[in-house]
């Protein structure tokens, strides 16, 4: 299968800065996949998100869309048409005077009008759980942080992109908000066979969605790991500045103390392992 | 930093945002004591940030009152003294940076207090040292990472030598390394007698507090030590929060007929039980 979006030897430095923001990045994403890029504040992950979306052009190396370099002209335009980027801060994205106009902006630019446009907006709002009848006429800037994030995401989804690049979509969301977003993204990927590139420093939201996690440290990719690698392996997540789901942290601590962990996300399995340890001590 | 311990007392505090029909806070009463670490938990929209803003008088109650270090926040002439005693740091440090270097940024507060240049210099140096950011004193705040900026914001608050530091989700944008740095700084400040009020939705950060306040729809749903409030996973889940995994393992242990005795919140406490 041809990779949907891939990066080949991508390096980037910001104008007038000597230090490289990204150095020699290679990665491939597949249709129907949520691919997570994890790293600390300042590791280069937001730069990488903007490169994936074609907003920044690599200083060297290339971004490939459907296997072909998308550097300029119609191929770059094609990348722009098919990738939707959700910025880290919704304030960087929202601009219209009403929520409805904000969500309409993208599909309207794609040429949609009338019922088609209205349907696209309603679908996108429904997917992110935004009650359009209450908020459609309000200014997006009068909404809570969580609601602003939903409007920004609805605006991106309304363009029906086959690749979604999401920069820290879970920040500031509580348990319910996060669960809702997880299920919205997962049905979007399933229904459209879309690709999501999810950039974050906190893996608790990405955990149920992604199967591969690219680890970014000081502008370089230091590994691509599975969930099992991340929890059961030796990668020092604190040094990377990446927050594992609290399950993973607990499992890692028990493993370090010599407790065998079979399924780190199953509390009953962990409880049984602890009971066995206590009984071994009693036998002695 | 001060001789007599102070407190911030919210008394039957009710606050409604202009144009809204439902109060964001309703009948909230709690005493935040100097030298203690209080964590405020709750789901989005529960009133956590509104409470933080009320505690240092940035907004004032519609009903009830807030006494910050004995001063009623509703009395306009108290405002400047309250700002000296009760510092606040927010989720996004970027938007509030005014200095062209880190040390100018940290000096901004003390300068506004009208202190002498020598005293300002001393306070800035101490605050930079305590925050562990002496090495970036001459850098431009805009060039720093988010974690460094948040430490600069806290250093700016420290330089005011406050009795209380209010943190309104100051760790939520930070990566785990930077978060650990900010939390360590809070602990150091607490040791020096500063009262910390930390608004967060991370349970593991509330677990290290002396007292936890849980808000639900603008009302207090519970106050007490972390063990008492956070060790029941079902209760925590019903409040829209993620339970600590160790509490779920302890629940499984109980289901298997093993009662752990005291409250269990951490891996360390589970391991202690397995070794007992």
């Amino acid at each position: 299968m041809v990779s949907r979006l891939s990066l080949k030897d991508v390096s980037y430095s910001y104008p007038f800065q000597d230090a490289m923001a990204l150095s020699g990045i290679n990665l491939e994403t597949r249709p129907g996949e949520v691919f997570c890029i994890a790293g600390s504040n300042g590791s280069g992950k937001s730069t990488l998100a903007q490169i994936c979306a074609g907003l920044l052009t690599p200083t060297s190396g290339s971004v490939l869309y459907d296997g072909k370099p998308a550097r300029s002209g119609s191929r770059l335009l094609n990348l722009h048409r098919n990738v939707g980027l959700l910025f880290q801060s919704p304030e960087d994205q929202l601009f219209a005077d009403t929520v409805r106009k904000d969500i309409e902006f993208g599909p309207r630019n794609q040429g949609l009008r009338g019922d088609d446009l209205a349907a696209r907006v309603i679908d996108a709002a429904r997917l992110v759980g935004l009650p359009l009848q209450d908020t459609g006429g309000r200014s997006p800037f009068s909404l809570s942080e969580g609601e602003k994030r939903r409007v920004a995401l609805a605006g991106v989804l309304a363009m029906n992109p086959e690749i979604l690049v999401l920069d820290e979509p879970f920040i500031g969301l509580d348990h319910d908000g996060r669960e809702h977003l997880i299920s919205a993204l997962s049905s979007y990927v399933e229904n459209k066979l879309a690709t999501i590139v999810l950039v974050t420093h906190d893996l608790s939201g990405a955990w149920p969605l992604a199967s591969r996690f690219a680890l970014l440290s000081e502008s370089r990719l230091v590994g691509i790991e599975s969930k099992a690698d991340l929890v059961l392996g030796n990668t020092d997540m604190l040094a990377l500045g990446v927050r594992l789901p609290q399950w993973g942290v607990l499992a890692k601590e028990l493993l370090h103390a010599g407790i065998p962990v079979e399924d780190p996300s199953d509390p009953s399995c962990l409880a049984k392992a602890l009971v066995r340890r206590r009984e071994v001590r009693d036998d002695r | 930093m001060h001789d007599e311990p102070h407190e911030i007392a919210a008394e039957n505090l009710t606050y409604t945002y202009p144009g809204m029909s439902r109060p964001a806070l309703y009948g909230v009463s709690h005493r935040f004591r100097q030298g203690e670490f209080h964590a405020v938990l709750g789901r989005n929209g529960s009133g956590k940030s509104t409470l933080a803003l009320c505690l240092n008088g940035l907004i004032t109650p519609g009903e009830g009152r807030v006494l910050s270090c004995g001063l009623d926040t509703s009395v306009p002439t108290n405002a400047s003294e309250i700002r000296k005693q009760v510092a606040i740091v927010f989720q996004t440090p970027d938007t509030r940076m005014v200095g062209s270097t880190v040390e100018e940024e940290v000096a901004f507060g003390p300068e506004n207090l009208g202190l002498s240049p020598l005293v300002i210099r001393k306070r800035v140096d101490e605050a930079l040292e305590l925050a562990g950011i002496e090495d970036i004193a001459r850098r431009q705040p805009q060039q720093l990472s988010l974690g460094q900026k948040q430490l600069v914001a806290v250093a700016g608050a420290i330089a005011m030598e406050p009795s209380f530091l209010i943190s309104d989700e100051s760790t939520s944008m930070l990566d785990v390394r930077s978060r650990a740095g900010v939390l360590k700084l809070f602990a150091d400040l607490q040791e020096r007698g500063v009262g910390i009020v930390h608004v967060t939705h991370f349970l593991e950060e509330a677990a290290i507090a002396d007292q936890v306040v849980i808000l639900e729809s603008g009302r207090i749903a519970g106050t007490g030590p972390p063990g008492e409030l956070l060790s029941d996973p079902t209760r925590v889940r019903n409040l829209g929060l993620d339970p600590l995994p160790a509490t779920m393992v302890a629940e499984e242990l109980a289901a298997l007929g093993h009662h752990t005795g005291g409250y269990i919140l951490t891996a360390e406490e589970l391991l202690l039980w397995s070794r007992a």
Side-chain angles (χ1 to χ4, degrees), chain A residues 9-55:
Chain A
D9 294 324
V10 164
S11 295
Y12 185 81
S13 59
Y14 283 96
F16 312 112
Q17 286 192 14
D18 297 333
M20 299 300 281
L22 288 173
S23 191
I25 306 288
N26 286 293
L27 55 87
E28 288 188 356
T29 66
R30 303 161 194 150
E33 177 185 37
V34 178
F35 185 83
C36 179
I37 296 173
S40 64
N41 301 140
S43 62
K45 60 188 194 311
S46 289
T47 308
L48 189 49
Q50 292 181 45
I51 285 191
C52 287
L55 284 193

Side-chain angles (χ1 to χ4, degrees), chain A residues 5 24 78 93 110 122 126 149 212 234 247-248 256 279:
Chain A
L5 177 77
N78 208 17
Q93 194 136 354
Q110 290 175 328
I122 289 167
R126 187 181 298 136
R149 284 184 175 272
R212 296 193 298 151
N234 293 321
W247 272 116
H256 280 182
E279 284 167 355

Side-chain angles (χ1 to χ4, degrees), chain A residues 220-269:
Chain A
R220 288 173 187 278
L221 209 56
V222 294
I224 296 180
E225 298 195 359
S226 68
K227 284 185 215 177
D229 296 338
L230 289 172
V231 175
L232 306 175
N234 293 321
T235 308
D236 184 345
M237 302 305 284
L238 189 64
L240 277 177
V242 173
R243 180 179 186 259
L244 274 180
Q246 291 301 289
W247 272 116
V249 177
L250 178 68
K252 258 185 176 320
E253 283 180 51
L254 296 184
L255 269 174
H256 280 182
I259 309 268
V261 172
E262 281 158 30
D263 180 356
S265 64
D266 177 4
S268 122
C269 153

